[in-house]
Amino acid sequence: MYNILISGYYGFNNIGDESILRTVIDNLREKLPNVDVTVLSQDPAQTSAKYNVKAARRMSLWDILRSVWRCDLLLSGGGSLLQDATSGRSILYYLFILRLAQLLRKQTFIYSQGIGPITAPRNRRLTASALRRADGIVVRDAKSRDLLLEIGVPGHLIHVTADPVIRVKKADTALGLEILSREGCPREPGRLTVGWAVKSRKPNKAFLQEVGRCVLWLQEAYGAQSVLIPFFHDEDLSVCEAVAGKLDGQVGCLRQKYLSEETLSIIGCMDVLVGVRLHSLIYAAVMGVPMVGISYDPKVESFLSSIQQPTPFTVEDFTLEGFQAAFRETMERREEICTTTAQCLEGLISKLDQNEELIRAIMERRK
């Protein structure tokens, strides 16, 4: 039995990160023989029950030491773990676990991560030091590779694939339709339905005001109903409610917390998805829903580029006028967009198999 310990932002009910964990675990079990998986989690009991894995407390030094000691390979998995934009502490946490595993002579693997931004000189040095010692490095986009090269990680160690969530299986939309009806915004036959997966970690009144103006324009120009979808419930619900509160019942808002499978089904019920959250855009791509992306981070632009879609604006420069042009083009090119996206996803999914191929090679070296 080969013991794999997964480190990441898990157990927080963030749909994007939980989707990453689901696809990583499923593919490890499907493609590798005799693996036993443990996850460092904020909520070990929930993670263990949901994914049928062992789980340990991610902020307990004792649990971390014990879990690393027992593992054969530490998998630093998915998402944007190695960056210091949102917090100066989180990158040190993930680097500590990597270096601990290396000091204990465990194999270490970076699994389709988005790297950066890393601005602090100390963090850049520590990241380069840890990753130069890794047994395998797979990043999800070219910008992540370029940053690693810039800080001194040798190019021959780095492989570029894609975000693991693109391997999530399509969901039946029946569940999404039921949820929409229960939340008071049922699909109406023949009426355009536009989903909005917005986020704003720092209050951005101008952005939210423009979102409201766009919702009203969609209603006037297309007779469309809009539905606000909190993707990371704990962060996004207040943003969605702020928009809904200004529109006095003219927009639907999902207020309950949903699992990743349920959210995938909900997004599959949309005719168009307007997304800030990276994984909302990935869900739309998987479900064959045309999208309008709004960038808040280079990772959004990287994903849209990988499926040959534009990034017309960012959260900072988003306006009704810009949205009108982007939305009209999306409606005109819906079939072309869906065909192109499906073709691109097929190629990206095949690249993702490199993760398990490299891990298999690492496992063979250990024998």
Side-chain angles (χ1 to χ4, degrees):
M1 185 65 70
Y2 188 80
N3 297 301
I4 296 178
L5 175 64
I6 301 178
S7 166
Y9 191 72
Y10 305 126
F12 291 90
N13 289 313
N14 180 317
I15 289 174
D17 290 292
E18 294 304 312
S19 297
I20 290 170
L21 184 58
R22 166 62 69 193
T23 55
V24 169
I25 291 171
D26 287 351
N27 282 282
L28 289 174
R29 287 172 169 164
E30 178 184 340
K31 299 178 185 299
L32 299 176
N34 277 333
V35 293
D36 187 64
V37 177
T38 302
V39 178
L40 294 175
S41 170
Q42 179 71 9
D43 189 340
Q46 182 190 71
T47 297
S48 181
K50 186 175 180 180
Y51 303 106
N52 190 27
V53 295
K54 297 172 185 173
R57 294 170 295 170
R58 72 189 299 275
M59 296 306 292
S60 164
L61 181 58
W62 170 247
D63 277 16
I64 292 171
L65 288 168
R66 182 173 57 183
S67 299
V68 172
W69 178 260
R70 291 176 175 175
C71 80
D72 297 307
L73 177 141
L74 171 73
L75 188 157
S76 186
S80 303
L81 306 183
L82 300 180
Q83 52 84 20
D84 57 11
T86 56
S87 167
R89 292 179 296 178
S90 65
I91 188 171
L92 298 179
Y93 167 83
Y94 295 115
L95 289 173
F96 162 73
I97 295 174
L98 270 170
R99 288 296 291 127
L100 174 65
Q102 291 165 351
L103 289 169
L104 293 176
R105 300 187 181 280
K106 308 296 180 177
Q107 295 164 316
T108 55
F109 189 85
I110 307 300
Y111 193 109
S112 284
Q113 276 196 42
I115 310 294
I118 307 174
T119 56
R122 178 190 62 174
N123 293 341
R124 292 165 74 92
R125 288 194 303 271
L126 292 173
T127 300
S129 177
L131 268 57
R132 280 195 291 264
R133 294 174 170 85
D135 295 274
I137 303 171
V138 181
V139 295
R140 69 184 176 196
D141 52 55
K143 288 185 177 180
S144 296
R145 176 199 60 203
D146 294 344
L147 174 58
L148 292 184
L149 292 173
E150 181 185 317
I151 65 176
V153 179
H156 71 273
L157 298 178
I158 308 167
H159 302 264
V160 181
T161 58
D163 191 293
V165 175
I166 65 170
R167 285 200 288 203
V168 70
K169 294 178 175 59
K170 290 184 74 169
D172 187 336
T173 56
L175 178 57
L177 291 171
E178 178 186 327
I179 291 170
L180 290 169
S181 181
R182 192 166 64 236
E183 288 267 18
C185 40
R187 282 287 320 239
E188 299 178 24
R191 187 181 183 191
L192 189 72
T193 300
V194 179
W196 291 79
V198 298
K199 76 180 290 292
S200 182
R201 181 172 283 123
K202 297 178 181 178
N204 189 328
K205 292 182 180 179
F207 171 64
L208 298 183
Q209 182 177 2
E210 291 303 297
V211 169
R213 293 179 67 204
C214 292
V215 167
L216 294 177
W217 173 77
L218 287 170
Q219 189 178 67
E220 294 165 3
Y222 291 88
Q225 68 168 336
S226 288
V227 181
L228 298 161
I229 305 169
F231 213 76
F232 184 6
H233 189 272
D234 294 347
E235 280 190 11
D236 298 348
L237 181 59
S238 60
V239 178
C240 292
E241 288 183 329
V243 174
K246 297 285 187 182
L247 296 179
D248 192 26
Q250 296 181 79
V251 63
C253 181
L254 305 186
R255 289 180 165 82
Q256 299 303 311
K257 183 181 290 187
Y258 295 105
L259 300 174
S260 53
E261 295 84 354
E262 294 168 322
T263 306
L264 185 64
S265 180
I266 291 166
I267 288 179
C269 295
M270 302 296 116
D271 294 305
V272 179
L273 188 281
V274 185
V276 180
R277 288 277 183 192
L278 169 64
H279 290 105
S280 72
L281 297 170
I282 293 176
Y283 273 19
V286 169
M287 295 300 293
V289 175
M291 69 202 75
V292 178
I294 305 171
S295 177
Y296 77 98
D297 185 281
K299 64 186 179 184
V300 174
E301 298 160 40
S302 293
F303 172 68
L304 290 171
S305 175
S306 74
I307 58 170
Q308 297 181 27
Q309 298 305 316
T311 307
F313 23 60
T314 67
V315 169
E316 286 73 27
D317 61 21
F318 181 75
T319 63
L320 170 61
E321 294 71 25
F323 176 75
Q324 289 171 334
F327 190 84
R328 289 191 184 106
E329 182 178 357
T330 300
M331 292 297 292
E332 290 170 3
R333 299 178 52 240
R334 287 180 66 189
E335 290 188 12
E336 177 192 344
I337 289 170
C338 291
T339 299
T340 301
T341 298
Q343 292 171 346
C344 291
L345 283 183
E346 189 175 336
L348 292 171
I349 289 169
S350 66
K351 284 185 178 182
L352 277 169
D353 289 341
Q354 286 186 51
N355 284 287
E356 285 73 32
E357 291 168 3
L358 289 167
I359 292 173
R360 183 189 294 274
I362 292 169
M363 291 169 63
E364 291 294 326
R365 291 203 300 267
R366 190 173 182 88
K367 289 181 179 179

Short mmCIF file of all heavy atoms in Angstrom, two decimals, residues 126-181:
data_model
loop_
_atom_site.label_atom_id
_atom_site.label_comp_id
_atom_site.label_asym_id
_atom_site.label_seq_id
_atom_site.Cartn_x
_atom_site.Cartn_y
_atom_site.Cartn_z
N LEU A 126 11.95 31.03 -0.55
CA LEU A 126 11.50 29.81 0.11
C LEU A 126 10.76 28.89 -0.85
O LEU A 126 10.92 27.66 -0.81
CB LEU A 126 10.59 30.16 1.29
CG LEU A 126 11.26 30.86 2.48
CD1 LEU A 126 10.22 31.32 3.50
CD2 LEU A 126 12.28 29.93 3.14
N THR A 127 9.96 29.47 -1.73
CA THR A 127 9.23 28.66 -2.71
C THR A 127 10.20 27.97 -3.66
O THR A 127 10.08 26.76 -3.92
CB THR A 127 8.25 29.55 -3.52
OG1 THR A 127 7.32 30.15 -2.62
CG2 THR A 127 7.49 28.72 -4.54
N ALA A 128 11.16 28.71 -4.17
CA ALA A 128 12.15 28.12 -5.08
C ALA A 128 12.93 27.00 -4.40
O ALA A 128 13.17 25.94 -4.98
CB ALA A 128 13.09 29.20 -5.59
N SER A 129 13.30 27.23 -3.15
CA SER A 129 14.06 26.24 -2.41
C SER A 129 13.27 24.94 -2.23
O SER A 129 13.81 23.84 -2.43
CB SER A 129 14.46 26.80 -1.04
OG SER A 129 15.14 25.83 -0.28
N ALA A 130 12.01 25.05 -1.87
CA ALA A 130 11.18 23.87 -1.65
C ALA A 130 10.89 23.14 -2.96
O ALA A 130 10.96 21.90 -3.04
CB ALA A 130 9.87 24.26 -0.97
N LEU A 131 10.60 23.90 -4.03
CA LEU A 131 10.21 23.25 -5.27
C LEU A 131 11.39 22.65 -6.02
O LEU A 131 11.21 21.69 -6.77
CB LEU A 131 9.42 24.23 -6.15
CG LEU A 131 7.89 24.15 -5.94
CD1 LEU A 131 7.49 24.39 -4.51
CD2 LEU A 131 7.16 25.08 -6.88
N ARG A 132 12.57 23.19 -5.81
CA ARG A 132 13.75 22.56 -6.44
C ARG A 132 13.98 21.16 -5.87
O ARG A 132 14.60 20.32 -6.53
CB ARG A 132 14.99 23.42 -6.22
CG ARG A 132 15.09 24.61 -7.17
CD ARG A 132 16.50 25.21 -7.18
NE ARG A 132 16.81 25.86 -5.91
CZ ARG A 132 16.68 27.17 -5.68
NH1 ARG A 132 16.24 27.97 -6.66
NH2 ARG A 132 17.00 27.69 -4.51
N ARG A 133 13.46 20.89 -4.68
CA ARG A 133 13.63 19.59 -4.04
C ARG A 133 12.44 18.66 -4.30
O ARG A 133 12.45 17.50 -3.85
CB ARG A 133 13.80 19.77 -2.53
CG ARG A 133 15.09 20.48 -2.11
CD ARG A 133 15.09 20.74 -0.61
NE ARG A 133 16.38 21.20 -0.13
CZ ARG A 133 16.78 22.46 -0.14
NH1 ARG A 133 15.99 23.41 -0.64
NH2 ARG A 133 17.97 22.80 0.33
N ALA A 134 11.40 19.15 -4.98
CA ALA A 134 10.20 18.34 -5.22
C ALA A 134 10.50 17.22 -6.21
O ALA A 134 11.34 17.36 -7.10
CB ALA A 134 9.07 19.22 -5.73
N ASP A 135 9.79 16.11 -6.06
CA ASP A 135 9.95 14.98 -6.97
C ASP A 135 9.16 15.16 -8.26
O ASP A 135 9.44 14.50 -9.25
CB ASP A 135 9.52 13.69 -6.27
CG ASP A 135 10.40 13.35 -5.10
OD1 ASP A 135 11.44 12.70 -5.31
OD2 ASP A 135 10.07 13.75 -3.96
N GLY A 136 8.16 16.04 -8.22
CA GLY A 136 7.39 16.33 -9.43
C GLY A 136 6.66 17.65 -9.27
O GLY A 136 6.16 17.96 -8.18
N ILE A 137 6.64 18.44 -10.34
CA ILE A 137 5.94 19.73 -10.31
C ILE A 137 5.04 19.81 -11.54
O ILE A 137 5.52 19.79 -12.68
CB ILE A 137 6.92 20.92 -10.33
CG1 ILE A 137 7.90 20.86 -9.17
CG2 ILE A 137 6.16 22.25 -10.33
CD1 ILE A 137 9.02 21.89 -9.26
N VAL A 138 3.74 19.92 -11.29
CA VAL A 138 2.78 20.12 -12.38
C VAL A 138 1.99 21.39 -12.07
O VAL A 138 1.42 21.51 -10.98
CB VAL A 138 1.82 18.93 -12.54
CG1 VAL A 138 0.85 19.17 -13.70
CG2 VAL A 138 2.60 17.64 -12.78
N VAL A 139 1.97 22.33 -13.00
CA VAL A 139 1.22 23.57 -12.82
C VAL A 139 0.10 23.62 -13.85
O VAL A 139 0.13 22.93 -14.86
CB VAL A 139 2.14 24.81 -12.93
CG1 VAL A 139 3.15 24.83 -11.80
CG2 VAL A 139 2.84 24.86 -14.29
N ARG A 140 -0.90 24.46 -13.57
CA ARG A 140 -2.09 24.43 -14.41
C ARG A 140 -2.06 25.41 -15.58
O ARG A 140 -2.96 25.38 -16.41
CB ARG A 140 -3.34 24.69 -13.56
CG ARG A 140 -3.47 26.10 -13.02
CD ARG A 140 -4.67 26.23 -12.11
NE ARG A 140 -4.73 27.57 -11.52
CZ ARG A 140 -5.48 27.87 -10.47
NH1 ARG A 140 -6.22 26.93 -9.90
NH2 ARG A 140 -5.51 29.09 -10.00
N ASP A 141 -1.04 26.27 -15.65
CA ASP A 141 -1.00 27.22 -16.75
C ASP A 141 0.43 27.71 -16.99
O ASP A 141 1.32 27.55 -16.14
CB ASP A 141 -1.94 28.41 -16.51
CG ASP A 141 -1.72 29.06 -15.15
OD1 ASP A 141 -0.57 29.47 -14.88
OD2 ASP A 141 -2.68 29.18 -14.37
N ALA A 142 0.62 28.32 -18.14
CA ALA A 142 1.96 28.78 -18.54
C ALA A 142 2.47 29.90 -17.64
O ALA A 142 3.67 30.02 -17.40
CB ALA A 142 1.94 29.23 -19.99
N LYS A 143 1.56 30.75 -17.14
CA LYS A 143 2.00 31.85 -16.27
C LYS A 143 2.61 31.32 -14.98
O LYS A 143 3.57 31.90 -14.45
CB LYS A 143 0.82 32.78 -15.98
CG LYS A 143 0.40 33.63 -17.18
CD LYS A 143 -0.68 34.63 -16.83
CE LYS A 143 -1.03 35.50 -18.02
NZ LYS A 143 -2.09 36.50 -17.71
N SER A 144 2.07 30.23 -14.47
CA SER A 144 2.64 29.62 -13.27
C SER A 144 4.04 29.09 -13.56
O SER A 144 4.96 29.26 -12.75
CB SER A 144 1.73 28.48 -12.78
OG SER A 144 0.47 28.98 -12.39
N ARG A 145 4.19 28.43 -14.71
CA ARG A 145 5.53 27.95 -15.10
C ARG A 145 6.50 29.12 -15.22
O ARG A 145 7.64 29.04 -14.72
CB ARG A 145 5.42 27.23 -16.44
CG ARG A 145 6.78 26.77 -17.01
CD ARG A 145 6.68 26.50 -18.50
NE ARG A 145 6.26 27.70 -19.23
CZ ARG A 145 5.67 27.67 -20.42
NH1 ARG A 145 5.43 26.52 -21.01
NH2 ARG A 145 5.33 28.80 -21.02
N ASP A 146 6.08 30.19 -15.86
CA ASP A 146 6.96 31.33 -16.06
C ASP A 146 7.41 31.94 -14.73
O ASP A 146 8.57 32.37 -14.59
CB ASP A 146 6.28 32.39 -16.92
CG ASP A 146 6.02 31.91 -18.35
OD1 ASP A 146 6.63 30.90 -18.74
OD2 ASP A 146 5.19 32.54 -19.05
N LEU A 147 6.51 31.99 -13.77
CA LEU A 147 6.88 32.52 -12.46
C LEU A 147 7.91 31.62 -11.78
O LEU A 147 8.88 32.12 -11.20
CB LEU A 147 5.64 32.67 -11.57
CG LEU A 147 5.90 33.08 -10.12
CD1 LEU A 147 6.66 34.41 -10.05
CD2 LEU A 147 4.60 33.18 -9.32
N LEU A 148 7.72 30.32 -11.87
CA LEU A 148 8.68 29.40 -11.25
C LEU A 148 10.05 29.53 -11.92
O LEU A 148 11.08 29.50 -11.23
CB LEU A 148 8.17 27.96 -11.35
CG LEU A 148 6.94 27.63 -10.50
CD1 LEU A 148 6.60 26.15 -10.60
CD2 LEU A 148 7.15 28.02 -9.03
N LEU A 149 10.08 29.67 -13.23
CA LEU A 149 11.35 29.89 -13.92
C LEU A 149 12.01 31.18 -13.44
O LEU A 149 13.23 31.24 -13.22
CB LEU A 149 11.12 29.95 -15.43
CG LEU A 149 10.69 28.65 -16.12
CD1 LEU A 149 10.34 28.92 -17.58
CD2 LEU A 149 11.77 27.59 -16.01
N GLU A 150 11.19 32.22 -13.26
CA GLU A 150 11.69 33.52 -12.84
C GLU A 150 12.35 33.47 -11.47
O GLU A 150 13.35 34.15 -11.22
CB GLU A 150 10.53 34.51 -12.83
CG GLU A 150 10.87 35.93 -12.45
CD GLU A 150 9.62 36.80 -12.36
OE1 GLU A 150 8.77 36.69 -13.26
OE2 GLU A 150 9.50 37.55 -11.38
N ILE A 151 11.79 32.65 -10.56
CA ILE A 151 12.34 32.62 -9.21
C ILE A 151 13.44 31.56 -9.05
O ILE A 151 13.98 31.40 -7.95
CB ILE A 151 11.25 32.40 -8.14
CG1 ILE A 151 10.58 31.03 -8.28
CG2 ILE A 151 10.22 33.53 -8.20
CD1 ILE A 151 9.56 30.72 -7.18
N GLY A 152 13.73 30.83 -10.12
CA GLY A 152 14.88 29.94 -10.08
C GLY A 152 14.60 28.46 -10.02
O GLY A 152 15.49 27.67 -9.70
N VAL A 153 13.39 28.03 -10.36
CA VAL A 153 13.10 26.59 -10.44
C VAL A 153 13.46 26.11 -11.84
O VAL A 153 12.99 26.68 -12.83
CB VAL A 153 11.62 26.30 -10.14
CG1 VAL A 153 11.32 24.81 -10.25
CG2 VAL A 153 11.25 26.81 -8.75
N PRO A 154 14.30 25.08 -11.98
CA PRO A 154 14.73 24.62 -13.32
C PRO A 154 13.55 24.18 -14.19
O PRO A 154 12.63 23.51 -13.72
CB PRO A 154 15.64 23.43 -12.99
CG PRO A 154 16.11 23.68 -11.60
CD PRO A 154 14.96 24.34 -10.89
N GLY A 155 13.60 24.55 -15.45
CA GLY A 155 12.50 24.27 -16.36
C GLY A 155 12.22 22.79 -16.57
O GLY A 155 11.06 22.40 -16.79
N HIS A 156 13.26 21.94 -16.50
CA HIS A 156 13.04 20.52 -16.77
C HIS A 156 12.21 19.84 -15.67
O HIS A 156 11.71 18.73 -15.87
CB HIS A 156 14.39 19.80 -16.94
CG HIS A 156 15.16 19.65 -15.66
ND1 HIS A 156 16.02 20.63 -15.19
CD2 HIS A 156 15.20 18.65 -14.74
CE1 HIS A 156 16.57 20.23 -14.06
NE2 HIS A 156 16.09 19.05 -13.75
N LEU A 157 12.05 20.52 -14.53
CA LEU A 157 11.24 19.95 -13.44
C LEU A 157 9.75 20.25 -13.60
O LEU A 157 8.92 19.64 -12.92
CB LEU A 157 11.71 20.52 -12.09
CG LEU A 157 13.15 20.23 -11.65
CD1 LEU A 157 13.42 20.93 -10.32
CD2 LEU A 157 13.38 18.73 -11.53
N ILE A 158 9.40 21.18 -14.47
CA ILE A 158 8.04 21.73 -14.51
C ILE A 158 7.25 21.19 -15.69
O ILE A 158 7.73 21.19 -16.83
CB ILE A 158 8.08 23.27 -14.60
CG1 ILE A 158 8.98 23.86 -13.50
CG2 ILE A 158 6.67 23.85 -14.51
CD1 ILE A 158 9.32 25.34 -13.71
N HIS A 159 6.03 20.74 -15.41
CA HIS A 159 5.10 20.28 -16.45
C HIS A 159 3.85 21.16 -16.38
O HIS A 159 3.37 21.48 -15.29
CB HIS A 159 4.73 18.82 -16.24
CG HIS A 159 5.89 17.89 -16.21
ND1 HIS A 159 6.32 17.17 -17.30
CD2 HIS A 159 6.75 17.56 -15.20
CE1 HIS A 159 7.38 16.45 -16.99
NE2 HIS A 159 7.66 16.67 -15.71
N VAL A 160 3.30 21.51 -17.53
CA VAL A 160 2.10 22.35 -17.59
C VAL A 160 0.92 21.51 -18.07
O VAL A 160 0.99 20.89 -19.15
CB VAL A 160 2.30 23.55 -18.55
CG1 VAL A 160 1.05 24.43 -18.57
CG2 VAL A 160 3.52 24.37 -18.13
N THR A 161 -0.16 21.50 -17.28
CA THR A 161 -1.36 20.76 -17.70
C THR A 161 -2.57 21.69 -17.64
O THR A 161 -2.70 22.60 -18.44
CB THR A 161 -1.58 19.50 -16.83
OG1 THR A 161 -1.70 19.87 -15.45
CG2 THR A 161 -0.45 18.52 -17.01
N ALA A 162 -3.43 21.50 -16.65
CA ALA A 162 -4.66 22.30 -16.56
C ALA A 162 -5.21 22.17 -15.15
O ALA A 162 -4.70 21.40 -14.32
CB ALA A 162 -5.69 21.83 -17.58
N ASP A 163 -6.28 22.90 -14.87
CA ASP A 163 -6.94 22.79 -13.58
C ASP A 163 -7.63 21.43 -13.47
O ASP A 163 -8.37 21.03 -14.38
CB ASP A 163 -7.98 23.91 -13.43
CG ASP A 163 -8.50 24.02 -12.02
OD1 ASP A 163 -9.19 23.08 -11.55
OD2 ASP A 163 -8.25 25.04 -11.36
N PRO A 164 -7.43 20.69 -12.39
CA PRO A 164 -8.01 19.34 -12.29
C PRO A 164 -9.53 19.31 -12.34
O PRO A 164 -10.11 18.27 -12.68
CB PRO A 164 -7.48 18.82 -10.95
CG PRO A 164 -6.97 20.00 -10.22
CD PRO A 164 -6.57 21.01 -11.23
N VAL A 165 -10.19 20.42 -12.02
CA VAL A 165 -11.65 20.41 -11.98
C VAL A 165 -12.26 20.19 -13.36
O VAL A 165 -13.41 19.75 -13.47
CB VAL A 165 -12.19 21.71 -11.35
CG1 VAL A 165 -13.71 21.79 -11.39
CG2 VAL A 165 -11.73 21.80 -9.89
N ILE A 166 -11.51 20.41 -14.43
CA ILE A 166 -12.10 20.19 -15.76
C ILE A 166 -12.44 18.72 -15.98
O ILE A 166 -13.17 18.39 -16.92
CB ILE A 166 -11.19 20.71 -16.89
CG1 ILE A 166 -9.88 19.92 -16.96
CG2 ILE A 166 -10.92 22.20 -16.75
CD1 ILE A 166 -9.06 20.21 -18.20
N ARG A 167 -11.92 17.84 -15.11
CA ARG A 167 -12.24 16.41 -15.26
C ARG A 167 -13.52 16.02 -14.51
O ARG A 167 -13.90 14.86 -14.52
CB ARG A 167 -11.08 15.55 -14.74
CG ARG A 167 -9.90 15.52 -15.68
CD ARG A 167 -8.97 14.34 -15.46
NE ARG A 167 -8.18 14.46 -14.26
CZ ARG A 167 -7.03 13.82 -14.06
NH1 ARG A 167 -6.55 13.04 -15.02
NH2 ARG A 167 -6.35 13.96 -12.95
N VAL A 168 -14.18 17.00 -13.89
CA VAL A 168 -15.40 16.66 -13.17
C VAL A 168 -16.46 16.16 -14.17
O VAL A 168 -16.53 16.63 -15.31
CB VAL A 168 -15.94 17.90 -12.39
CG1 VAL A 168 -16.49 18.97 -13.32
CG2 VAL A 168 -16.99 17.48 -11.38
N LYS A 169 -17.24 15.18 -13.75
CA LYS A 169 -18.24 14.59 -14.63
C LYS A 169 -19.47 15.48 -14.73
O LYS A 169 -19.90 16.08 -13.74
CB LYS A 169 -18.63 13.20 -14.13
CG LYS A 169 -17.47 12.19 -14.21
CD LYS A 169 -17.88 10.84 -13.65
CE LYS A 169 -16.76 9.82 -13.85
NZ LYS A 169 -15.50 10.20 -13.22
N LYS A 170 -20.05 15.57 -15.92
CA LYS A 170 -21.25 16.38 -16.13
C LYS A 170 -22.37 15.91 -15.20
O LYS A 170 -22.49 14.72 -14.91
CB LYS A 170 -21.72 16.28 -17.58
CG LYS A 170 -20.80 16.96 -18.57
CD LYS A 170 -21.36 16.93 -19.98
CE LYS A 170 -22.51 17.91 -20.15
NZ LYS A 170 -22.91 18.07 -21.57
N ALA A 171 -23.18 16.85 -14.76
CA ALA A 171 -24.28 16.55 -13.83
C ALA A 171 -25.61 16.55 -14.57
O ALA A 171 -25.78 17.25 -15.58
CB ALA A 171 -24.31 17.58 -12.71
N ASP A 172 -26.55 15.79 -14.04
CA ASP A 172 -27.93 15.82 -14.54
C ASP A 172 -28.55 17.14 -14.10
O ASP A 172 -28.48 17.51 -12.92
CB ASP A 172 -28.69 14.63 -13.94
CG ASP A 172 -30.09 14.48 -14.52
OD1 ASP A 172 -30.65 15.48 -15.01
OD2 ASP A 172 -30.62 13.36 -14.48
N THR A 173 -29.17 17.85 -15.02
CA THR A 173 -29.73 19.17 -14.69
C THR A 173 -31.06 19.09 -13.94
O THR A 173 -31.57 20.11 -13.48
CB THR A 173 -29.92 20.02 -15.95
OG1 THR A 173 -30.73 19.31 -16.89
CG2 THR A 173 -28.57 20.35 -16.59
N ALA A 174 -31.60 17.89 -13.79
CA ALA A 174 -32.88 17.76 -13.10
C ALA A 174 -32.79 18.30 -11.67
O ALA A 174 -33.70 18.97 -11.17
CB ALA A 174 -33.35 16.31 -13.10
N LEU A 175 -31.68 18.01 -11.00
CA LEU A 175 -31.50 18.48 -9.63
C LEU A 175 -31.41 19.99 -9.60
O LEU A 175 -32.00 20.65 -8.72
CB LEU A 175 -30.23 17.86 -9.03
CG LEU A 175 -29.87 18.29 -7.61
CD1 LEU A 175 -31.00 17.98 -6.64
CD2 LEU A 175 -28.58 17.59 -7.16
N GLY A 176 -30.69 20.58 -10.54
CA GLY A 176 -30.58 22.03 -10.61
C GLY A 176 -31.93 22.70 -10.82
O GLY A 176 -32.22 23.73 -10.20
N LEU A 177 -32.74 22.13 -11.70
CA LEU A 177 -34.07 22.68 -11.94
C LEU A 177 -34.93 22.64 -10.67
O LEU A 177 -35.67 23.58 -10.37
CB LEU A 177 -34.76 21.90 -13.07
CG LEU A 177 -34.17 22.10 -14.47
CD1 LEU A 177 -34.80 21.10 -15.44
CD2 LEU A 177 -34.39 23.53 -14.96
N GLU A 178 -34.80 21.55 -9.94
CA GLU A 178 -35.55 21.42 -8.68
C GLU A 178 -35.10 22.48 -7.67
O GLU A 178 -35.92 23.10 -6.98
CB GLU A 178 -35.34 20.02 -8.11
CG GLU A 178 -36.03 19.77 -6.78
CD GLU A 178 -35.67 18.42 -6.18
OE1 GLU A 178 -35.45 17.47 -6.97
OE2 GLU A 178 -35.59 18.33 -4.94
N ILE A 179 -33.79 22.70 -7.56
CA ILE A 179 -33.26 23.69 -6.62
C ILE A 179 -33.71 25.10 -7.01
O ILE A 179 -34.14 25.89 -6.16
CB ILE A 179 -31.72 23.61 -6.56
CG1 ILE A 179 -31.29 22.30 -5.89
CG2 ILE A 179 -31.14 24.81 -5.81
CD1 ILE A 179 -29.81 22.01 -5.99
N LEU A 180 -33.63 25.43 -8.29
CA LEU A 180 -34.06 26.75 -8.75
C LEU A 180 -35.52 26.99 -8.41
O LEU A 180 -35.89 28.09 -7.96
CB LEU A 180 -33.83 26.88 -10.26
CG LEU A 180 -32.37 26.97 -10.71
CD1 LEU A 180 -32.29 26.83 -12.23
CD2 LEU A 180 -31.74 28.28 -10.27
N SER A 181 -36.35 25.99 -8.60
CA SER A 181 -37.77 26.13 -8.28
C SER A 181 -37.97 26.33 -6.79
O SER A 181 -38.75 27.19 -6.35
CB SER A 181 -38.53 24.89 -8.77
OG SER A 181 -39.90 25.00 -8.49
#
